[in-house]
Amino acid sequence: MRSWRTSSTRRSNGRRLAALCALVLLSALLSMCLGAVAVAPGDILPALLGRSGGAAAQIVRYARLPRTCGCLLAGAALAVSGALIQSVLGNPLAAPNIIGVSSGAGLAAALCGALAPSAALALPIASFAGALAGVLLVLFIAEKTGASKLTLVLAGVAVSGMFSAGIDAVVTFVPDALAGYSDFRIGGLANLAMSRIVPAFWVIVIALALILSLAGELDVLMLGAETAQSLGLRTKPLRLILLILAAALAGAAVSFSGLIGFVGLIVPHIMRRLLGEDSLPLLAGCALGGAVCLTLCDLLGRLLFAPYELPVGIVLSLAGGPFFIWLLIRQRGGRVHD
């Protein structure tokens, strides 16, 4: 009976992941077609292959394609990063933007832009270092104080505030440190070029491959530290490796998308309800669901007040803020202190 249930769950998750793949393709197609200038679906492929000219083809190749790729990559990276952070820290309220990971990456990106403005390849590396500093600092505070889940979040908010103040200070002294500073702070993917995405693309792809390869170990880790150690798992090195990979994903996404929030909070909770707690389908679902979420939110920001655009960070904050409050209310009654 148990084997039958496991097989049934796997088939069900397989169908849901296939549906998410279809949603990724559909959201990408809509992102390429819709905007201030509508492009017919049949014109997309000829434009991408260079078989057509005109204004529509230029819009597809140089505006819509980088923006869509950026949405897919950043959404997948932030959602998987959030799922990892929540699992490793055992905290459903944690997310890259909430515990200081994204703002740490933003501060490092600002410093890189101020000190080495022409080193495009250094930006994802600097963002990764800043994201890692953020997550390790919050983890250090939690371990030293024996912090509850709510205290961990509050510590993350404080760390995020300090990093944000650092970003403001860098931009005050070097105004050109961040191109489009307002968009960077809010989070947006307008005016994105493929040259900014490519370095981060490799970081995200490699990190995602490594994370998926460690899904089995993550399942064991979720059984609890004592149980995992009794099964021969070295929990502390594994937790550190997973947090490093989560920081790499968040830092790479921030390097070209800015401080986009709440993808890493909302999507993992939705995917846990849809796919369960098993790490492999959960992480794969977060990658696909995050890509869909960010792409559709960006498209919504383009269309709501057309021809004016609303940055995707604002759309996500309007949705994510109430969601975070709902999570806090749901965790009341002492459960948040577990």
Side-chain angles (χ1 to χ4, degrees):
M1 179 66 72
R2 185 176 179 180
S3 175
W4 179 83
R5 286 180 179 175
T6 302
S7 177
S8 176
T9 300
R10 287 177 178 172
R11 287 197 298 271
S12 177
N13 283 344
R15 289 193 293 269
R16 289 168 181 170
L17 289 171
L20 284 171
C21 288
L23 283 176
V24 170
L25 294 175
L26 177 60
S27 62
L29 179 62
L30 290 174
S31 179
M32 296 287 285
C33 291
L34 301 179
V37 177
V39 179
D43 295 334
I44 299 296
L45 188 58
L48 293 176
L49 296 176
R51 295 176 181 173
S52 64
Q58 298 294 317
I59 290 171
V60 168
R61 285 197 293 266
Y62 300 111
R64 301 274 171 84
L65 178 61
R67 188 165 187 167
T68 302
C69 290
C71 286
L72 297 174
L73 278 174
L78 292 171
V80 174
S81 178
L84 269 185
I85 290 171
Q86 290 170 11
S87 297
V88 173
L89 299 182
N91 192 335
L93 301 175
N97 67 300
I98 292 172
I99 66 168
V101 179
S102 293
S103 55
L107 175 57
L111 288 171
C112 182
L115 300 175
S118 60
L121 292 176
L123 188 57
I125 298 173
S127 298
F128 158 67
L132 181 61
V135 74
L136 292 181
L137 181 56
V138 172
L139 183 62
F140 174 79
I141 294 171
E143 290 185 346
K144 287 297 181 181
T145 61
S148 68
K149 292 178 180 179
L150 183 57
T151 305
L152 178 65
V153 172
L154 293 175
V157 171
V159 169
S160 181
M162 291 188 294
F163 284 151
S164 295
I167 296 172
D168 291 335
V170 171
V171 175
T172 298
F173 290 111
V174 187
D176 296 330
L178 289 174
Y181 175 61
S182 177
D183 288 341
F184 183 88
R185 284 299 303 268
I186 297 171
L189 294 129
N191 305 316
L192 192 61
M194 291 300 290
S195 59
R196 289 181 59 195
I197 300 174
V198 171
F201 166 81
W202 292 109
V203 175
I204 291 171
V205 168
I206 293 170
L208 285 175
L210 291 173
I211 289 166
L212 292 176
S213 71
L214 293 171
E217 287 82 353
L218 181 58
D219 281 330
V220 177
L221 183 64
M222 293 304 97
L223 298 174
E226 293 183 1
T227 302
Q229 288 174 354
S230 69
L231 294 172
L233 189 69
R234 299 176 63 190
T235 56
K236 286 189 176 180
L238 179 62
R239 290 180 73 195
L240 181 59
I241 290 170
L242 291 172
L243 288 175
I244 288 173
L245 292 172
L249 289 176
V254 167
S255 70
F256 64 84
S257 67
L259 303 180
I260 291 176
F262 293 108
V263 176
L265 178 70
I266 297 173
V267 175
H269 282 276
I270 295 173
M271 290 301 124
R272 283 191 176 93
R273 288 181 173 272
L274 185 66
L275 299 167
E277 295 287 345
D278 287 346
S279 296
L280 186 58
L282 174 63
L283 294 171
C286 283
L288 297 170
V292 172
C293 175
L294 190 56
T295 304
L296 292 182
C297 285
D298 180 66
L299 183 60
L300 190 63
R302 277 189 259 169
L303 299 179
L304 274 177
F305 303 103
Y308 302 102
E309 287 192 9
L310 197 64
V312 67
I314 294 178
V315 177
L316 282 163
S317 294
L318 290 172
F323 186 84
F324 184 63
I325 294 170
W326 174 77
L327 281 180
L328 285 173
I329 295 172
R330 190 172 174 230
Q331 295 289 324
R332 73 186 185 278
R335 283 181 291 170
V336 77
H337 300 289
D338 294 342

